[in-house]
Amino acid sequence: MSESPSDQPVVLLVEDDGLLLMEAADTLADAGFTVLEASHADKALKVLENRDDVGVLMTDVDMPQGSMDGFALARLVAHRWPSIPVLVVSGMGTPGPNDMPEGARFIPKPYEPTTLVRTLRAFIQRAA
């Protein structure tokens, strides 16, 4: 069964490193996802408040800008928008027991682009 690009949900990508943001956005766009970009949690929340088509949140953990890190953003999104699955990525080690909201997934950095796409697709199908 082939999927048309419209079957792929909108991904909100939150990453403070411009190069990593661009690389991840390109990888996801090439895989057929629609990508929205935010450089920190506060911008991501504005996007979520203004759009109702975000299908999945992918956030980095360590973001010096903004009022919260990726774990806090993940927990807030899981609370306010429980239908949006959350994928957390970090090069800073693995999350502690209370860092991630229930149902969220974690990918350590650096990750392979294929791993990212595969994980997102599987995650989205499970959430659907």
Side-chain angles (χ1 to χ4, degrees):
M1 170 180 126
S2 72
E3 292 183 23
S4 69
S6 61
D7 292 339
Q8 298 285 7
V10 173
V11 178
L12 175 54
L13 189 55
V14 191
E15 168 65 70
D16 65 323
D17 181 312
L19 187 62
L20 292 174
L21 180 65
M22 199 171 63
E23 286 177 357
D26 286 349
T27 296
L28 296 175
D30 288 347
F33 292 97
T34 300
V35 181
L36 305 173
E37 300 177 11
S39 56
H40 57 73
D42 300 333
K43 285 186 179 176
L45 291 172
K46 281 198 175 70
V47 171
L48 289 166
E49 285 161 2
N50 291 314
R51 296 185 62 135
D52 59 5
D53 62 343
V54 173
V56 64
L57 172 77
M58 177 179 158
T59 182
D60 185 29
V61 172
D62 190 30
M63 296 181 289
Q65 297 176 318
S67 61
M68 65 188 88
D69 69 7
F71 288 136
L73 175 63
R75 292 190 300 268
L76 182 62
V77 169
H79 178 73
R80 280 183 64 185
W81 295 276
S83 64
I84 298 178
V86 178
L87 179 66
V88 177
V89 297
S90 178
M92 309 300 266
T94 54
N98 299 316
D99 287 337
M100 306 260 293
E102 194 174 331
R105 291 283 304 271
F106 178 80
I107 298 181
K109 282 182 181 173
Y111 49 76
E112 289 293 322
T114 51
T115 303
L116 176 61
V117 170
R118 200 171 51 238
T119 302
L120 261 182
R121 284 197 174 132
F123 192 33
I124 289 156
Q125 282 169 346
R126 206 167 312 124

